[in-house]
Amino acid sequence: MRAAPLVVTLAAAVVAAGAGGAAVARAEPAPPASRWVGAPRLPAGRGEALAVHELRLSTYFYLPGEVGDPWATGVDVAHGVDARLTIGLGHSSRGRGTVDHGGGWCHDGPGRRCSRAYAGALVDARLRVHDGERLVATALVRAGAIGLGPLRAVVRLGGSVRTARGRWWLVAEPEVQVALGRRAYGNRDTLIAPLWLGVGRRRAAAWLLTGARGQLVGFGEKVEIPVVLGAGVGLGRVRAGIEAGWPKLLGPQNTANVRQGTVWLGASF
């Protein structure tokens, strides 16, 4: 039964791609090499939908292991309004540049129960700042809820910088997440600064995700540095990928016991 939400969302993404392909006859512009990760701007009139399934991969000496324990399923959607602006709706932690359970539809596990079946989402705007041959810069504004039990509303302000040389590319998306109340329930001001180093272009790519995430108060004592490996393949308008690694392998509270993974399927339209 746990696989049902994933099957439904993946099917919806593929159907959307087919419908979009029938409605839009013009050739699709070549996407940037770094389009595999983060929050890229899309060409005017183009859209993308991704179904993302997040898994626990942790093992413990004295506690039950969580390998394969489903955590959450979410759908991330984006649409290029024009050449300057892309809007999006993000449920997954992958779409937010983090390694976590994100929002979307939460799954109960052996050692955890979801407070709500639906865990929230963020609406985002991606505004062009600079388009160059080697460098693309975008301003990011996001707002929404990172949890509904209780409601934890946030606003995120930051930017995205993408650069490429040949098949190699680099993406940095630093953002400051400002909590809108509910601080006693763990809703805190947080710096989220993912960094991706990748190789590949349209049909296949691989990347390393690292960077930093931590609450602004006591940042030096709470910062988490992930180490995650990912890869994806594309066929026409459909893309699929997998990611796995450690959300806080480095940092003052580092641990290799906590591991997480993601599988996703996307379609452009």
Side-chain angles (χ1 to χ4, degrees):
M1 295 297 293
R2 288 175 176 173
L6 177 61
V7 173
V8 172
T9 50
L10 295 188
V14 174
V15 170
V24 182
R26 65 183 183 275
E28 183 177 3
S34 62
R35 56 85 183 257
W36 298 92
V37 300
R41 287 201 325 271
L42 302 180
R46 293 294 183 181
E48 185 173 63
L50 292 93
V52 183
H53 194 55
E54 295 162 334
L55 302 165
R56 292 171 177 252
L57 302 176
S58 302
T59 56
Y60 305 100
F61 289 111
Y62 303 107
L63 296 173
E66 299 174 338
V67 176
D69 186 12
W71 193 326
T73 301
V75 176
D76 302 330
V77 182
H79 176 71
V81 177
D82 54 33
R84 291 181 53 85
L85 176 66
T86 294
I87 58 173
L89 174 66
H91 287 96
S92 73
S93 62
R94 182 182 187 275
R96 305 176 187 185
T98 60
V99 186
D100 207 334
H101 64 284
W105 290 266
C106 183
H107 303 291
D108 290 330
R112 162 193 49 82
R113 291 293 180 268
C114 300
S115 58
R116 295 287 191 278
Y118 180 71
L122 296 179
V123 177
D124 67 74
R126 312 167 193 178
L127 182 64
R128 182 177 68 191
V129 174
H130 174 76
D131 277 344
E133 184 178 349
R134 293 284 181 84
L135 181 69
V136 174
T138 302
L140 297 178
V141 180
R142 312 191 205 218
I146 59 173
L148 299 179
L151 175 66
R152 290 179 289 156
V154 300
V155 170
R156 286 175 59 169
L157 305 173
S160 174
V161 176
R162 296 167 183 265
T163 184
R165 187 177 182 87
R167 292 183 174 274
W168 293 91
W169 44 267
L170 181 73
V171 179
E173 289 190 352
E175 296 180 80
V176 173
Q177 179 172 286
V178 180
L180 303 180
R182 299 287 186 174
R183 296 177 183 270
Y185 293 92
N187 196 24
R188 306 296 175 84
D189 298 339
T190 305
L191 173 66
I192 302 171
L195 178 69
W196 292 271
L197 174 62
V199 60
R201 291 184 177 173
R202 183 181 179 87
R203 294 185 179 179
W207 54 89
L208 167 69
L209 164 63
T210 184
R213 178 175 68 166
Q215 296 178 12
L216 294 182
V217 177
F219 180 80
E221 300 176 354
K222 301 175 182 178
V223 60
E224 300 172 355
I225 300 175
V227 176
V228 177
L229 295 176
V233 295
L235 180 62
R237 297 193 175 203
V238 178
R239 296 185 293 135
I242 186 170
E243 295 167 323
W246 301 266
K248 47 184 177 181
L249 182 63
L250 303 175
Q253 301 183 29
N254 65 83
T255 176
N257 288 334
V258 178
R259 296 185 288 272
Q260 294 169 238
T262 301
V263 291
W264 55 269
L265 177 65
S268 59
F269 53 90

